Amino acid sequence: MNQSFDQRSVDSTNENEPVPYFRPSITEAEIREVVTCLRSGWLTTGPRTRKFQSQFAKAVQASHALALNSCTAALHLAVRALGLKAGQGVLIPSQTFAATAEVVLYEGGVPILVDSLTDTLNIDLADADRKCEFAERGELPVKVSEIVGIMPVHFAGRMINMDHVRQFAKRRSLWVVEDAAHAFPAAFQSEESGKMIRCGEATADATCFSFYANKTITTGEGGMVVTDNAELAERIQQMSLHGLSSNAWRRFEHSAAWDYRIVEQGYKYNMTDIAAAIGLHQLKRAEAMRQERQTIARYYSESLADVEELTLPSEDSSRIDSWHLFAVRLQLESLTIDRNTFCEKLSERGIGFSVHWRPLHKHPLYEGFGWTGTDLPVMDDAWPRLVSLPIFAGMRDEESRRVVDTIKQIISENRVSSSARISLG
């Protein structure tokens, strides 16, 4: 029996206890595996990491999977292995975390910020096309020699249609690296094959996943890059541990060759066996935990459907969503408070929350490059409205009810009156 390590998830009935934004789901199986790993004497990259790689590759139907210490490391090695050079541009949604753009900057590349689709907040390929045209005419806020790649981000765990991304990339002669930090396990229905295609199943040149503490499965810190390109996989593996020749990976095993060669510039990005020990059992429960989050998402959607002051994420039969986030948008025109005050009121009443994210063009670094809201109008409008509600495997029914009841109460107390709406109209 895999009893949860966090007894609050099964024993607590205190309805006054704060509802956290997130609580990791760790079972005795993960704990036993970590203890066994510690007792084995093999703590860094070794047999458990290799097993985790193999099982993850099978889970997403990829030919190669390489475990690393973060999704950031995975994204960095992917763009480097694909040959990104200084001055070259990469199309990136402004609606993403810092890492997606940072890895381009690591290589001296230029992040080209792209707006989002209004419904999903995933990258808008029509705007990406416009940004390519602006680049050709020298009309971007940033100087770029050429645009060579695109990095779609599956916001909140809803996959963008990767058929469309590949078609766009082919027409523009771009490579594709997926930031799938939110998207395991997730899938989209391919128009080309009519089948549900899992994220990482030949959907890009490389697909990068996150196993950070609050992700859909966790290793504490960690990431994975998957690809069907053997040459790309070999180069990523080599760069992940100081650019050492491949025999260095096994140089501490019995009868292994002790010598090694530094083949190229590399990094210290490898995953430990301690982390992989957690990942092996998280992977086994990935779909069950996804279904738990889906149940919570449906409860939120049904319970908040009549709250006109909220725009809720919709469920789409052509997608299998990971439900990493449940991000709502406040209809501020119908409220007497702004998003920040709304969040303060959630916090005062013991409800955890987060905001995903401050778009890149709203950060000083990218403002310094010349990006403004006029370049990205959808995200400029969405940013002050966004709030992410608690959603995680092991969330108790009374916790999700408290979230709903609290939101309804706050909105009821701060709703623009009908007479005021009429006068504004």
Side-chain angles (χ1 to χ4, degrees), residues 38-261:
L38 293 172
R39 287 174 173 159
S40 76
W42 194 289
L43 308 186
T44 187
T45 307
R48 284 177 175 80
T49 303
R50 290 196 289 273
K51 184 178 180 181
F52 185 36
Q53 290 174 159
S54 174
Q55 292 187 359
F56 194 88
K58 184 178 181 180
V60 299
Q61 293 296 294
S63 300
H64 308 277
L66 299 162
L68 302 163
N69 62 15
S70 68
C71 186
T72 305
L75 292 165
H76 181 206
L77 295 184
V79 300
R80 184 172 175 84
L82 286 163
L84 178 62
K85 296 180 175 60
Q88 292 179 331
V90 180
L91 298 161
I92 292 169
S94 184
Q95 174 63 351
T96 189
F97 184 59
T100 320
E102 277 180 344
V103 301
V104 174
L105 295 176
Y106 291 170
E107 296 302 308
V110 183
I112 308 299
L113 302 188
V114 179
D115 211 0
S116 296
L117 297 168
T118 304
D119 55 350
T120 62
L121 299 187
N122 280 331
I123 191 169
D124 182 352
L125 295 178
D127 189 54
D129 214 28
R130 284 191 291 271
K131 296 293 165 57
C132 290
E133 293 171 359
F134 292 162
E136 291 165 0
R137 298 196 297 266
E139 296 175 358
L140 287 175
V142 291
K143 185 178 180 181
V144 57
S145 60
E146 60 179 328
I147 296 178
V148 297
I150 182 170
M151 298 174 70
V153 177
H154 304 302
F155 176 66
R158 168 169 287 186
M159 286 188 71
I160 189 171
N161 187 311
M162 289 305 295
D163 287 347
H164 296 169
V165 174
R166 284 197 305 269
Q167 291 159 9
F168 171 81
K170 184 177 180 180
R171 179 165 58 83
R172 287 285 182 180
S173 300
L174 309 176
W175 46 251
V176 180
V177 171
E178 281 178 278
D179 184 334
H182 293 186
F184 179 78
F188 80 103
Q189 187 169 21
S190 171
E191 296 168 0
E192 295 174 354
S193 67
K195 298 177 181 178
M196 280 287 186
I197 305 297
R198 283 166 279 196
C199 190
E201 187 179 348
T203 46
D205 292 286
T207 302
C208 303
F209 298 89
S210 175
F211 308 135
Y212 182 65
N214 68 352
K215 292 301 190 291
T216 56
I217 69 170
T218 185
T219 59
E221 296 274 2
M224 189 82 72
V225 58
V226 304
T227 181
D228 284 349
N229 184 321
E231 184 178 344
L232 196 66
E234 183 178 358
R235 181 141 191 255
I236 289 171
Q237 177 174 300
Q238 191 166 269
M239 288 191 295
S240 70
L241 192 61
H242 300 300
L244 303 180
S245 54
S246 58
N247 64 346
W249 284 80
R250 295 187 172 91
R251 67 187 187 279
F252 297 122
E253 293 179 347
H254 181 67
S255 301
W258 58 268
D259 199 10
Y260 62 90
R261 299 289 187 273

Side-chain angles (χ1 to χ4, degrees), residues 1 7 16 20 28 51 56 88 113 144 188 191 197 210 238 276 283 286 292 299 335 357 366 399 407:
M1 177 179 178
Q7 290 297 317
N16 294 318
E28 290 297 329
K51 184 178 180 181
F56 194 88
Q88 292 179 331
L113 302 188
V144 57
F188 80 103
E191 296 168 0
I197 305 297
S210 175
Q238 191 166 269
L283 183 59
E292 285 190 58
Y299 171 73
L335 294 169
W357 297 275
Y366 297 95
E399 290 178 319
I407 288 172

Side-chain angles (χ1 to χ4, degrees), residues 308-309 331-336 411 414-417 421:
E308 296 178 358
E309 293 80 6
Q331 295 303 310
L332 297 174
E333 301 80 1
S334 302
L335 294 169
T336 60
I411 287 178
N414 297 278
R415 180 179 281 132
V416 173
S417 66
R421 293 187 193 187

